[in-house]
Amino acid sequence: MRRPDDSSLTPGQLARVRKEAERALREAGALGVFPTPIDQIMAVARVEEVKEDVLNPGFIAKLRAKAGEAGQAVKQALSKVLGLFHASEGLVFLSQSLMAVKKRFVGLHEAGHGFLPWQRPMYAVVEDCEKALDAATAELFDREANVFASEVLFQLDTFHDLAEGEAFEIWTPINLAKRFHASNYAAIRQYVSKSHRACAVVVLNMPEFIEGDGFRATLRRPIQSKKFTELFDQYRWKDVYTPDDDLGAFIPLGRRRSSGKRSIALTDRNGDRHECVAESFSTGHQVFILIHAVKTLTATRIILPAAE
């Protein structure tokens, strides 16, 4: 099932979060330190991770039961808890079942709730009143915390600057992810979202084999660069892909991890078709299809006449 965007902010909101991310890195003495030292960021955010595995299924079951019949939304939210932040106590609870790279990101996300100066006081007030944030505010705070985590993890524009010196291909963010101790998903998202090229990545759930269709892979989330959106608007990505689709044909099967680069055509908002190049990569948990418009990769050389 397609997931809603979890990191979109207005330019003003983004600038404010980036400023706080830079402040966190500087105060932690972590600017330019690879990989970003999570413990030092948590220290300046004045939060402490509770090492006990309190977010185990038994603990979550108790919280869900405590929510009662009227707390259906709370029950659903607690079904996939990755991290929790307790503002007044300055405590962060992380699921111990997370992979190390995912745990780093979730830890920075929770530290963001503690470090962003407009968020922590609000959470503390809510805890004291034993109420919940309204849905719109809670979603905004989570998007801000995700952006904070990404900016701190990837050292602001450092990941982008390093990637610009490499070939534009799916393997560039995958290789850089190791240096930043980041997940492939986080690295590929950073790669596309900050690119000056007209590019996008379509993130799919692993294909399920269906008799008659061969397989079906559902859309998890599309991510578009600013240039891509200017050219194609919010592209109408399909929710389900099969081997008969132009993009579905890129999904690697069996032991294959990548499709290699091949041409594909996309139609923009004006009905004009653009030659693009696509390639895929499978982690075994999800499939990434990276697409870019060819013309954005072609540098235009201007030859000036020689001076007389």
Side-chain angles (χ1 to χ4, degrees), residues 127-176:
E127 289 169 5
D128 289 342
C129 298
E130 297 184 350
K131 295 182 180 180
L133 288 175
D134 66 89
T137 301
E139 289 175 6
L140 173 59
F141 279 10
D142 272 339
R143 294 199 305 273
E144 289 177 337
N146 276 340
V147 172
F148 175 90
S150 184
E151 293 294 325
V152 171
L153 181 65
F154 293 112
Q155 296 276 325
L156 303 172
D157 293 328
T158 302
F159 180 97
H160 168 73
D161 293 342
L162 290 172
E164 284 296 290
E166 304 293 334
F168 187 81
E169 58 184 14
I170 194 71
W171 299 106
T172 294
I174 291 170
N175 291 331
L176 282 175

Side-chain angles (χ1 to χ4, degrees), residues 3-300:
R3 298 191 178 188
D5 183 71
D6 59 357
S7 297
S8 62
L9 298 176
T10 66
Q13 292 166 341
L14 175 59
R16 187 163 68 152
V17 172
R18 274 177 57 90
K19 181 179 179 180
E20 293 301 321
E22 181 177 8
R23 181 168 70 89
L25 286 166
R26 291 191 182 280
E27 290 184 5
L31 198 60
V33 178
F34 301 94
T36 300
I38 308 302
D39 289 345
Q40 291 172 222
I41 299 297
M42 285 192 168
V44 298
R46 295 181 290 113
V47 299
E48 179 182 358
E49 180 190 351
V50 177
K51 300 296 184 179
E52 288 80 5
D53 188 16
V54 298
L55 295 186
N56 57 63
F59 176 79
I60 298 302
K62 290 179 182 178
L63 288 179
R64 294 180 67 189
K66 192 175 180 180
E69 292 299 325
Q72 187 61 33
V74 175
K75 290 182 182 181
Q76 293 174 353
L78 288 173
S79 65
K80 296 182 179 180
V81 174
L82 302 180
L84 290 173
F85 170 59
H86 194 290
S88 58
E89 298 294 333
L91 299 177
V92 168
F93 303 87
L94 303 178
S95 172
Q96 300 303 309
S97 65
L98 291 171
M99 294 176 58
V101 289
K102 179 66 174 179
K103 188 177 179 183
R104 281 170 55 80
F105 188 92
V106 175
L108 286 172
H109 172 102
E110 301 303 334
H113 287 315
F115 191 81
L116 295 173
W118 58 90
Q119 285 201 16
R120 187 168 189 149
M122 181 69 77
Y123 277 114
V125 168
V126 167
E127 289 169 5
D128 289 342
C129 298
E130 297 184 350
K131 295 182 180 180
L133 288 175
D134 66 89
T137 301
E139 289 175 6
L140 173 59
F141 279 10
D142 272 339
R143 294 199 305 273
E144 289 177 337
N146 276 340
V147 172
F148 175 90
S150 184
E151 293 294 325
V152 171
L153 181 65
F154 293 112
Q155 296 276 325
L156 303 172
D157 293 328
T158 302
F159 180 97
H160 168 73
D161 293 342
L162 290 172
E164 284 296 290
E166 304 293 334
F168 187 81
E169 58 184 14
I170 194 71
W171 299 106
T172 294
I174 291 170
N175 291 331
L176 282 175
K178 301 178 180 67
R179 182 172 181 181
F180 289 82
H181 288 198
S183 68
N184 288 321
Y185 172 82
I188 293 171
R189 177 169 194 140
Q190 181 80 353
Y191 188 59
V192 169
S193 63
K194 288 193 174 180
S195 178
H196 68 274
R197 300 177 174 89
C199 61
V201 63
V202 179
V203 187
L204 304 176
N205 294 308
M206 290 298 290
E208 297 180 356
F209 291 92
I210 305 294
E211 187 174 353
D213 283 343
F215 68 77
R216 301 174 76 232
T218 56
L219 178 65
R220 185 181 180 90
R221 179 177 286 130
I223 301 159
Q224 302 181 177
S225 70
K226 181 179 179 181
K227 188 76 172 179
F228 187 96
T229 302
E230 290 174 355
L231 185 61
F232 294 99
D233 209 344
Q234 290 298 328
Y235 197 79
R236 294 184 178 180
W237 306 106
K238 295 174 60 176
D239 288 324
V240 179
Y241 295 87
T242 69
D244 297 328
D245 302 317
D246 288 343
L247 283 185
F250 283 85
I251 298 174
L253 301 175
R255 296 184 178 181
R256 294 174 59 209
R257 299 192 71 190
S258 178
S259 64
K261 296 180 181 180
R262 299 200 301 272
S263 295
I264 189 173
L266 295 182
T267 304
D268 67 19
R269 65 174 74 188
N270 298 318
D272 297 326
R273 288 168 61 83
H274 294 261
E275 181 187 356
C276 299
V277 173
E279 58 182 320
S280 67
F281 173 75
S282 173
T283 65
H285 300 286
Q286 50 196 356
V287 176
F288 301 92
I289 302 178
L290 178 67
I291 307 163
H292 61 258
V294 171
K295 69 176 184 179
T296 63
L297 296 183
T298 305
T300 301

